[in-house]
Amino acid sequence: MALHSIETLNPPSEDLVKVGYSCSACGRHYLHRADVAAVASVLNRDVSLTNVLAFGGHYIHCGQPMEKTGSELRRLSAPVSTDKDQEETFDVYMTTRVLHCRCGFQMELPE
């Protein structure tokens, strides 16, 4: 199991949260309510999580919140048509924020 996110319920609960995770065996993603104590036991495992955890507006890797170290302008291109004779592309530009972990792991998210 890989834990991806923990969110408060609406309305908030002291004992339950909404948890997003994926199954390592089947690869499917799940989102459901979970007991806070059960989630804490998963987070306190000796084996470190390999994925990034989104929690409280922060992204956590290696058990520490990742820090924003900059922004990048990225271009995404796609052909306007599937016609092989037409070479025209459609370009989309977007700004991303660059996040780093102390271990060297880096990721970019849309701003």
Side-chain angles (χ1 to χ4, degrees):
M1 176 183 75
L3 192 60
H4 296 288
S5 65
I6 303 171
E7 300 174 18
T8 59
L9 293 174
N10 190 7
S13 168
E14 289 184 16
D15 300 320
L16 297 173
V17 290
K18 184 169 35 171
V19 177
Y21 65 96
S22 60
C23 174
S24 302
C26 70
R28 290 186 179 168
H29 296 273
Y30 300 94
L31 183 66
H32 66 81
R33 293 175 182 224
D35 181 77
V36 171
V39 174
S41 69
V42 170
L43 291 174
N44 289 322
R45 293 184 300 197
D46 289 336
V47 179
S48 65
L49 299 172
T50 57
N51 292 320
V52 175
L53 173 66
F55 181 69
H58 299 282
Y59 292 88
I60 300 170
H61 188 264
C62 293
Q64 297 293 321
M66 297 177 71
E67 294 184 19
K68 181 178 177 181
T69 57
S71 296
E72 296 287 334
L73 182 64
R74 297 290 183 205
R75 183 182 81 175
L76 305 172
S77 297
V80 175
S81 170
T82 57
D83 184 2
K84 294 180 181 179
D85 295 332
Q86 189 176 23
E87 295 181 15
E88 187 177 357
T89 61
F90 179 72
D91 295 336
V92 175
Y93 293 88
M94 63 187 250
T95 303
T96 62
R97 60 184 156 143
V98 180
L99 300 176
H100 278 93
C101 178
R102 293 185 319 182
C103 74
F105 176 80
Q106 170 184 316
M107 71 180 204
E108 290 184 48
L109 298 168
E111 286 268 37

